[in-house]
Amino acid sequence: MNFTERQQQILAYLRQYGSASLQQLMEFTNSSESSIRRDLTELDKQQLIDRFHGGATLNQPLLSEKSLLEKSDESLTEKQEIMKLAAQHIRYGECIYLDAGSTIIHLIPHIVNKNVTVVTNGLMHVPLLMEQNIETVIIGGKVKAKTQAVIGAKAITQFQQYYFDRAFIGANGFSELQGYTTADSEEATLKQLAIKQSKQAYIVADHSKFGLSQFAKFGDLEDAILITSGLTDAQYEQLEKRTEVLRA
Amino acid sequence: MNFTERQQQILAYLRQYGSASLQQLMEFTNSSESSIRRDLTELDKQQLIDRFHGGATLNQPLLSEKSLLEKSDESLTEKQEIMKLAAQHIRYGECIYLDAGSTIIHLIPHIVNKNVTVVTNGLMHVPLLMEQNIETVIIGGKVKAKTQAVIGAKAITQFQQYYFDRAFIGANGFSELQGYTTADSEEATLKQLAIKQSKQAYIVADHSKFGLSQFAKFGDLEDAILITSGLTDAQYEQLEKRTEVLRA
DNA sequence: TATAAAAATGAATGTTTTTGAAAGAAAATT
DNA sequence: AATTTTCTTTCAAAAACATTCATTTTTATA
């Protein structure tokens, strides 16, 4: 069973969204209606998708990544929306940093065709990145047991050697007063460095993190573009006085 | 089974990137379309690759979906035996290096209570190490697609910063004449460094690797203690003239 | 060393597969 | 019923393919 690259892309898209219209797949893969149709019939024959009038859905949840991407999250679609918006900022061929964490992983399906190089401290991202054939560099250092994030002094020294076009970083809390915060101070140090070592940093956090402040601060609102969703207009306006905010 | 240099190159390329287009292989090997095609048909006939329209992929018996330790190996118990013996050399509290690879992973269950610190370039080892609550440091650098081993220049520089009590390294071939060899030259560089940066290095390889020599050499027999099994007494004696050999 | 035979190579050839577009049929929507 | 959307079929162009052949390189033999 050997798939063309385009069929792989279709599956990647379906894994992300569960279903897709023909139009969406044409845009996503940059190919013609005919080709998509042919691929869909083929994939359908292989029982990997189910077709419906106008598109297709994933048939078998492909074990490995599915479990990675789903993670039984209530805020799943919110995360997906946020990361889709984030991906639109990435240009062809750039070098980007991906922070460890369950939110950031949702960026990966959106960067398959952008020919990016990914640098990350999140070991949990690696299988998915490899599957999408994305050039990947891992930051070395101590591995944190609970989250499989790389942290520690060795990781910090390595950061000095990299410079990114964009960095995408998760936050456990963000507020006007306290800025961006997270629970682990070692992780905070890395996040801080990632902001510093990138041309443009993006903090991604869903609405539940708004107003919270955790133990370790790693930046002020001004230090990065904030990507979030689900806030009230008043809250958005308040934040926009301090930094650029992208509403997903 | 005898391969031309170009066929070796093709295999090396595929091992690194997983798949390749004809164009890529033409550039990589500096040869004509015809030659590449001829090689691909040959390699396909030998069941080493799978061809698809426009290129080829490595024909690896699907290892991804197997559980980490099982991996459907005929030589499974042999590997286990070898690694069990290897583990007996590790003392409490030591710092050890674990090479990437399916053999070495079998060492992990044997070191749970030894309070060791593990340094590794094998991302595939991490989940198991975390599960056993073993202090783990990962080498940073480019991630190789097919094997999830960390390689490249960045990995090499990092090695200079570590010094191990023991290093456990896999080999795809070992022979009196050629010493220890492996297929990927980038991995070979790391293995060589690991030997150098450790007080004592161990090469582990099952009997099927005896007499084989692959593309890239990373050491002479004398450079490490050899752990293997299943050889004849004569073969053992021959090897023991050159280095210490542990018979599993 | 010289020569012939064998093997490997790269270009040229025609064939097959893949692709995107067009036209009409079928299905869904209004 | 009329209209829009989606589907299938068909066709020509493009890309990838196998085959052939002349040339070069390697190997074997005189």
Side-chain angles (χ1 to χ4, degrees):
Chain A
M1 233 208 293
N2 226 327
F3 301 58
T4 69
E5 194 179 345
R6 197 181 45 243
Q7 285 170 336
Q8 294 274 20
Q9 287 178 17
I10 291 173
L11 286 178
Y13 191 96
L14 287 177
R15 281 185 211 119
Q16 165 74 8
Y17 296 103
S19 72
S21 73
L22 232 88
Q23 294 295 332
Q24 289 173 313
L25 291 174
M26 284 168 63
E27 278 181 39
F28 184 67
T29 63
N30 270 319
S31 45
S32 72
E33 189 185 323
S34 305
S35 296
I36 300 291
R37 284 194 192 287
R38 272 187 277 257
D39 287 337
L40 290 185
T41 18
E42 175 65 22
L43 291 170
D44 191 29
K45 201 187 293 173
Q46 309 209 7
Q47 311 243 351
L48 290 168
I49 61 168
D50 284 325
R51 296 184 75 174
F52 59 87
H53 202 86
T57 62
L58 202 59
N59 184 15
Q60 296 166 322
L62 284 159
L63 20 113
S64 55
E65 330 83 65
K66 191 74 192 217
S67 57
L68 282 171
L69 281 175
E70 277 193 351
K71 237 186 176 185
S72 70
D73 248 302
E74 313 97 48
S75 54
L76 176 61
T77 49
E78 187 179 353
K79 286 182 177 179
Q80 288 177 338
E81 286 301 316
I82 290 175
M83 295 324 293
K84 186 180 171 187
L85 182 62
Q88 290 169 8
H89 283 242
I90 300 170
R91 312 236 178 93
Y92 191 87
E94 288 188 332
C95 174
I96 62 175
Y97 176 76
L98 298 189
D99 191 25
S102 64
T103 306
I104 306 286
I105 200 171
H106 291 280
L107 183 68
I108 298 173
H110 297 285
I111 57 176
V112 278
N113 284 323
K114 301 211 173 193
N115 189 32
V116 295
T117 299
V118 166
V119 181
T120 183
N121 74 323
L123 296 183
M124 75 291 282
H125 298 162
V126 173
L128 196 53
L129 286 163
M130 291 297 98
E131 200 149 319
Q132 313 288 354
N133 259 308
I134 294 168
E135 172 99 8
T136 301
V137 172
I138 195 89
I139 298 283
K142 202 171 66 187
V143 183
K144 192 173 153 185
K146 206 168 172 183
T147 60
Q148 297 202 5
V150 178
I151 52 173
K154 279 287 182 326
I156 292 168
T157 25
Q158 267 193 77
F159 253 96
Q160 329 282 353
Q161 301 169 25
Y162 294 106
Y163 197 70
F164 319 111
D165 291 308
R166 296 168 208 289
F168 297 89
I169 298 155
N172 284 333
F174 65 103
S175 74
E176 281 183 80
L177 223 65
Q178 304 294 337
Y180 307 115
T181 54
T182 193
D184 184 317
S185 68
E186 292 210 78
E187 289 196 43
T189 312
L190 285 197
K191 288 172 197 282
Q192 203 164 10
L193 263 172
I195 295 176
K196 189 176 151 216
Q197 299 292 107
S198 63
K199 266 190 220 150
Q200 179 63 59
Y202 300 77
I203 306 295
V204 293
D206 62 68
H207 74 280
S208 70
K209 314 291 170 54
F210 177 69
L212 295 182
S213 50
Q214 303 277 339
F215 173 62
K217 171 174 175 174
F218 61 91
D220 284 309
L221 283 186
E222 292 84 354
D223 295 340
I225 295 177
L226 175 62
I227 312 184
T228 186
S229 69
L231 304 187
T232 68
D233 282 350
Q235 290 172 325
Y236 274 123
E237 279 160 29
Q238 202 64 25
L239 289 167
E240 278 164 352
K241 287 178 186 165
R242 300 279 301 281
T243 189
E244 186 177 344
V245 180
L246 304 175
R247 309 183 187 192
Chain B
M1 250 192 263
N2 225 340
F3 302 107
T4 68
E5 189 182 347
R6 198 181 46 242
Q7 285 169 337
Q8 295 275 17
Q9 284 180 10
I10 291 174
L11 286 176
Y13 191 96
L14 286 176
R15 280 191 206 102
Q16 179 155 354
Y17 296 103
S19 72
S21 72
L22 229 90
Q23 294 296 332
Q24 289 173 315
L25 292 174
M26 284 168 63
E27 280 182 37
F28 184 67
T29 63
N30 266 319
S31 45
S32 72
E33 190 185 320
S34 305
S35 297
I36 300 291
R37 283 193 194 288
R38 270 187 278 258
D39 287 339
L40 290 185
T41 18
E42 176 65 21
L43 291 170
D44 190 29
K45 200 186 294 172
Q46 311 222 7
Q47 312 239 357
L48 291 168
I49 61 168
D50 282 325
R51 295 185 75 175
F52 59 87
H53 203 87
T57 61
L58 206 57
N59 180 9
Q60 280 190 331
L62 292 155
L63 31 82
S64 51
E65 281 137 44
K66 297 282 174 182
S67 87
L68 284 169
L69 281 174
E70 283 183 357
K71 251 189 188 170
S72 77
D73 247 302
E74 310 99 49
S75 54
L76 175 62
T77 48
E78 187 179 353
K79 285 183 178 179
Q80 287 175 337
E81 286 301 314
I82 290 174
M83 294 324 293
K84 188 176 169 187
L85 181 60
Q88 290 170 8
H89 283 241
I90 300 169
R91 311 238 178 93
Y92 189 86
E94 287 188 332
C95 174
I96 63 175
Y97 175 77
L98 298 190
D99 190 26
S102 64
T103 306
I104 306 286
I105 200 171
H106 293 280
L107 183 68
I108 299 174
H110 298 287
I111 57 175
V112 279
N113 286 321
K114 300 211 173 194
N115 188 34
V116 295
T117 299
V118 166
V119 181
T120 183
N121 74 324
L123 296 183
M124 74 293 279
H125 299 161
V126 173
L128 196 54
L129 287 163
M130 292 296 100
E131 207 168 291
Q132 313 286 354
N133 257 307
I134 295 168
E135 173 99 6
T136 302
V137 172
I138 194 89
I139 298 284
K142 201 172 67 187
V143 183
K144 188 173 154 185
K146 213 69 193 188
T147 61
Q148 299 202 4
V150 178
I151 53 174
K154 278 284 180 330
I156 292 168
T157 22
Q158 270 193 74
F159 253 96
Q160 330 283 355
Q161 301 167 26
Y162 294 105
Y163 196 71
F164 319 112
D165 291 309
R166 296 169 206 288
F168 296 89
I169 298 155
N172 285 334
F174 66 102
S175 74
E176 280 183 80
L177 222 64
Q178 304 294 338
Y180 306 115
T181 54
T182 193
D184 184 316
S185 66
E186 292 210 77
E187 288 196 44
T189 312
L190 285 196
K191 287 172 198 280
Q192 203 164 12
L193 263 171
I195 294 175
K196 190 177 149 215
Q197 298 291 108
S198 63
K199 264 190 222 152
Q200 179 61 59
Y202 301 78
I203 306 295
V204 293
D206 62 67
H207 75 280
S208 69
K209 314 293 170 50
F210 176 70
L212 295 183
S213 50
Q214 303 277 338
F215 174 61
K217 172 173 176 175
F218 61 91
D220 285 308
L221 283 186
E222 292 84 355
D223 295 340
I225 295 176
L226 174 62
I227 311 183
T228 186
S229 70
L231 304 188
T232 67
D233 283 350
Q235 289 171 327
Y236 274 123
E237 279 160 28
Q238 201 66 22
L239 288 168
E240 279 164 352
K241 286 177 187 165
R242 300 279 301 280
T243 189
E244 187 178 344
V245 180
L246 304 176
R247 312 185 187 191

